[in-house]
Amino acid sequence: MNAPATTVVTGSSSRSILAAGIFAAMVGAAIVFATGFVQADTLHDAAHDVRHATGFPCH
Amino acid sequence: MFSRILTSAVLAGAAAGLIAALLQLVFVQPVLLHAELYESGELVHFGAESVVSAQQELGGINPVRDGLSIVFTMLIYTGYALVLVPLMALAQSRGAALTARRGLIWGIAGFVAVQFAPGFSLAPEVPGVAAADVGLRQVWWIATVLAAGGALWLIAFGQGLVAWAAAAVLLLAPHLVGAPEPAVFTGPVPTELGAHFAARAYGVGMAAWAILGALAAYLWARESAEIRASQPA
């Protein structure tokens, strides 16, 4: 399934995808953390219903 | 390259998040508002002898509150997509084919990792439930999501019994260790509402994640085809 012959993107572009991908994932995780986890009152109140409905620990 | 990932992820995340938010407003929010009547003490029930009607006036749409919910749901799903698309790109670079149909499976796997796995021990919380310290629950939640995500990756792309055994360990361990639990139960909300809330939260989450996976796979497959086309042969 992971045979190198089927690799679709090779060489330097593969590395640039990796770097961009890691950066994107970090940005994504930061967004989820800010909306789902930060306990600052304003943020908590604004995101309250979403946190409950999306299954995050809220209070 | 980052802008290409960003384009796919933001489009897929915003669309799936908008659908999730609308489904939540129709199906989850009324249960939440009903539970808040008990959380605030406006309604009180006493087990089998309760005389409180199960049908309550819930107030309908609140533009500010529900508008914020829509914005934050779209943000959360965009955050999910920004993690999902790079993982799709990684799998694709190692030979996995990517189509909207396969994206459905990615989405359902995402739902299992991010909502169902932690929810197995920390059920979706209706307002007013008793719960352990929120910081401890957040740490357990993050650890469980990472473990379940790793497990699903091993099941999908790992080879051999060792990978599957490791996946089983990763799936089971957080629940054998146990989620932080409250010392006593103090929830004032009827159990019927709590169960209804959890079921609706899961149903909406699974639908939204399936849509997110299909959209993200479709959009990223298009972007990556353009990248390939722009490369010298």
Side-chain angles (χ1 to χ4, degrees):
Chain A
M1 184 194 299
N2 295 331
T6 57
T7 300
V8 289
V9 187
T10 55
S12 61
S13 69
S14 169
R15 275 193 295 280
S16 79
I17 284 190
L18 187 65
I22 290 172
F23 182 59
M26 285 168 64
V27 172
I31 292 173
V32 172
F33 187 83
T35 47
F37 284 89
V38 174
Q39 286 294 313
D41 282 349
T42 320
L43 207 48
H44 172 273
D45 293 348
H48 172 269
D49 296 355
V50 178
R51 289 181 182 189
H52 277 283
T54 317
F56 289 88
C58 190
H59 301 282
Chain B
M1 188 60 67
F2 177 69
S3 67
R4 287 183 181 272
I5 294 176
L6 194 68
T7 307
S8 303
V10 169
L11 281 175
L18 181 61
I19 293 168
L22 295 175
L23 288 172
Q24 280 171 1
L25 284 179
V26 173
F27 292 109
V28 184
Q29 190 70 4
V31 188
L32 184 143
L33 292 174
H34 197 166
E36 282 186 344
L37 297 178
Y38 287 92
E39 184 188 26
S40 66
E42 190 175 321
L43 294 181
V44 180
H45 75 111
F46 295 102
E49 291 163 27
S50 175
V51 293
V52 178
S53 169
Q55 312 302 321
Q56 295 288 334
E57 185 56 50
L58 300 173
I61 296 289
N62 176 328
V64 174
R65 179 174 179 171
D66 297 338
L68 281 171
S69 291
I70 291 173
V71 170
F72 276 95
T73 307
M74 291 173 74
L75 269 174
I76 284 188
Y77 277 85
T78 302
Y80 292 157
L82 281 165
V83 178
L84 189 62
V85 170
L87 289 174
M88 286 177 169
L90 178 61
Q92 193 188 34
S93 75
R94 299 176 58 174
L98 203 58
T99 62
R101 201 173 282 274
R102 286 184 179 227
L104 281 174
I105 299 174
W106 277 84
I108 291 168
F111 164 75
V112 169
V114 173
Q115 208 167 339
F116 196 66
F120 185 68
S121 287
L122 276 184
E125 298 164 5
V126 75
V129 294
D133 174 69
V134 67
L136 292 177
R137 273 151 54 228
Q138 288 178 334
V139 169
W140 187 91
W141 188 97
I142 292 170
T144 303
V145 168
L146 292 176
L152 294 179
W153 183 275
L154 285 173
I155 290 169
F157 303 112
Q159 284 168 345
L161 277 178
V162 176
W164 285 33
V169 170
L170 284 171
L171 283 173
L172 290 171
H175 306 285
L176 294 174
V177 170
E181 291 176 354
V184 292
F185 293 136
T186 57
V189 177
T191 182
E192 292 89 337
L193 282 179
H196 199 190
F197 183 85
R200 287 272 169 98
Y202 280 142
V204 167
M206 188 158 75
W209 265 103
I211 292 165
L212 178 69
L215 280 176
Y218 172 76
L219 292 167
W220 177 251
R222 272 195 353 176
E223 288 286 343
S224 56
E226 279 179 28
I227 296 170
R228 275 199 304 278
S230 68
Q231 279 180 337

